[in-house]
Amino acid sequence: MSDITRGGQFLVKETKCENVFTPEDFSEEQLMMRDSVKEFVEKEIWPNKNRFESKDFKLTEELMKKAGEMGFLSVAVPENYGGMGMGFVDTCLVCDYISGATGSFSTAFGAHTGIGTMPITLYGTEEQKQKYVPKLASGEWFGAYCLTEPGAGSDANSGKTKAVLSEDGTHYKITGQKMWISNAGFCSLFIVFARIDDDKNITGFIVENDATNGITFGEEEHKLGIRASSTRQVFFNETKVPLENMLSERGNGFKIAMNALNVGRIKLAAACLDAQRRVTTNAINYANERVQFNTPISQFGAIRYKLAEMATSAYAGESATYRAAKSIEDRINARIAEGTSHQEAELKGVEEFAIECSILKVAVSEDVQNCADEGIQIYGGMGFSEDTPMESAWRDARIARIYEGTNEINRMLSVGMLIKKAMKGHVDLLGPAMKVQEELMGIPSFDTPDYSELFSEEKEMIAKLKKAFLMVAGAAVQKFGMELDSHQQLLMAAADMLIEIYTAESTLLRTEKLAKKEGEAKVEEQIAMAQLYLYKAVDIVALRGKESIISFAEGDEQRMMLMGLRRFTKYTNMPNIVALREKITSKLVAENSYCF
């Protein structure tokens, strides 16, 4: 397993394009799966968009049942519990394409297949799995996940819900209030987190939905978006839960919650991808049809700018998401090959890449919001109207930055986890960070390198951005040590640098792999997108790096680091950004869709 990259190692290891998985590598079977999901969406979901917007909760439930009949709810479930037992990439693929038409259905789907089912497949006993998972996999039952409380949101372990052992020792009685519970209105089973006595950590329980057992609900919440996803408060009043329904062991609830969220994060990133493709395609269609000043607005530079940026962020998000999904899948398979159980292998595989899961969650959820926002702008006044699909896309996108851990929490987690990994010796950050410091002391080379090969300068740029991150993060760790946690603004800035490096590198590697296969002439637009994305990433790294350096370093150290940052964010040959955007948009406008 030594040759498999570890989570976070992308920062200190050069990745070859042959070693990343890209959407162009889908197998025949994966493409068939994708097409059957797309057909389901076009036939069942997209034509009913208005019903979702008018809070038709029954429709969401009906279509979830249909998705169950089609097998879409069982992709990630092992075969011996009635599932398809497909790989992690397949799970992300289904999640991606089933989620693009409306956030209402995608939330119901994600909550059920992810946090509603997965805690049992990953932490349940054999009996629990045999009893519950086949019903959840088929859509006979639906699952919901009860973690958040009025006083416990981001601080998930601070929940007040209590679990008290009965006098005869046969069951626990759960009492407490949970809020923002997706699928609450039609679920058969809850994963509930409660505290036993004064335990430091919460404990997980599997609780069947039974109105005679002290379970009541609040009204459906009135929400900005995802209007037809059922979201209610759930109240437990001495709800009896048999002893054998404790999930994992006592006090393990916080760990279950965190690991379930890791998987949820990469799947949430996947769930934002098709929404971007769809919004971009709609925007292109409209821009081609809408005529102003006797010209289709798709011919105007201001609109072409937006289309190029929308397509580029969709392409970049896809590149990074599927790269990470395959890294996780490889890790899971390697552990299974070593004789680890499926449960343990999947848990450890996802946990290994928790940094990438947080990076993706932040990057793609923010991109989908920007994409929908620009979509409204391209539609102009019509974009603001409920008669076109843009305003609902914008409203639905907004929740993605909040659930599965807010983007602020995920930014801090990504850097925090990276530093922890370095301290455990799982990723050697210290060695490379020291090398960067030595390099800063030395005299830079003034030779002009040979950049004749595709992406040679861009790859050098990525290597330099990694040095910029190591320089800034290394100095911050040296200065603050374990206190760094309390410097949230510095962590957020470092996270933005990390996010841009991973996404820009993923986009570049995908495109390089494609160019080697198809020939550069056939993928000029993808090359332009990789170059455009990198250019913007360099700017963000420079900006966030500078902000950090001038906030914690002074005097000579500050001057030295700012000089280093300039060196690490400097192109030899600047790309012509307007020309790159023109190239991308010309293709989009000609094809009249997001076509990559």
Side-chain angles (χ1 to χ4, degrees), residues 171-175 190 206-216 234-242 245:
H171 58 270
Y172 281 94
K173 290 182 196 163
I174 293 185
T175 301
F190 303 100
I206 302 169
V207 182
E208 294 183 26
N209 185 4
D210 172 3
T212 64
N213 189 15
I215 301 176
T216 51
V234 184
F235 302 92
F236 299 97
N237 184 13
E238 301 215 330
T239 300
K240 292 178 182 173
V241 184
N245 274 28

Side-chain angles (χ1 to χ4, degrees), residues 582-596:
E582 274 302 311
K583 188 180 283 290
I584 298 160
T585 308
S586 296
K587 174 87 167 169
L588 295 169
V589 166
E591 299 281 340
N592 200 24
S593 72
Y594 175 84
C595 50
F596 301 111

